[in-house]
Amino acid sequence: FFESPWAWWLQIGRLQHPIVFKITTDFLSIPSTRCNYTRSFSSARRTITCNRNSLEGDTIEALQLQKNWL
């Protein structure tokens, strides 16, 4: 048996299911958080101001993720 799902994906899943492995890599790399979801919306409200209300969804997502990574 494997210690974790990630260990299985690295040793077996990567070779047997390469496309699903890429999706799984994205999914399993999401850190768990205990922060309240309202905090995330408050942070987004500071990103999307009156002057920046025409930002694309991908741009907003990238800015929010960058805040979390830094």
Side-chain angles (χ1 to χ4, degrees):
F1 287 11
F2 293 92
E3 297 174 15
S4 68
W6 183 237
W8 183 88
W9 277 107
L10 287 176
Q11 294 177 18
I12 296 174
R14 174 187 288 187
L15 302 172
Q16 291 181 358
H17 311 287
I19 295 172
V20 178
F21 173 74
K22 291 179 183 180
I23 296 168
T24 304
T25 303
D26 289 340
F27 180 75
L28 291 177
S29 65
I30 298 171
S32 62
T33 179
R34 293 184 184 182
C35 80
N36 193 344
Y37 64 89
T38 56
R39 230 168 106 193
S40 298
F41 284 108
S42 294
S43 176
R45 188 175 62 212
R46 288 190 296 271
T47 300
I48 308 167
T49 63
C50 291
N51 295 333
R52 303 169 94 185
N53 63 2
S54 62
L55 291 174
E56 294 286 329
D58 292 340
T59 305
I60 294 169
E61 180 181 7
L63 289 170
Q64 290 301 108
L65 290 173
Q66 185 181 17
K67 285 181 186 180
N68 290 332
W69 292 333
L70 295 176

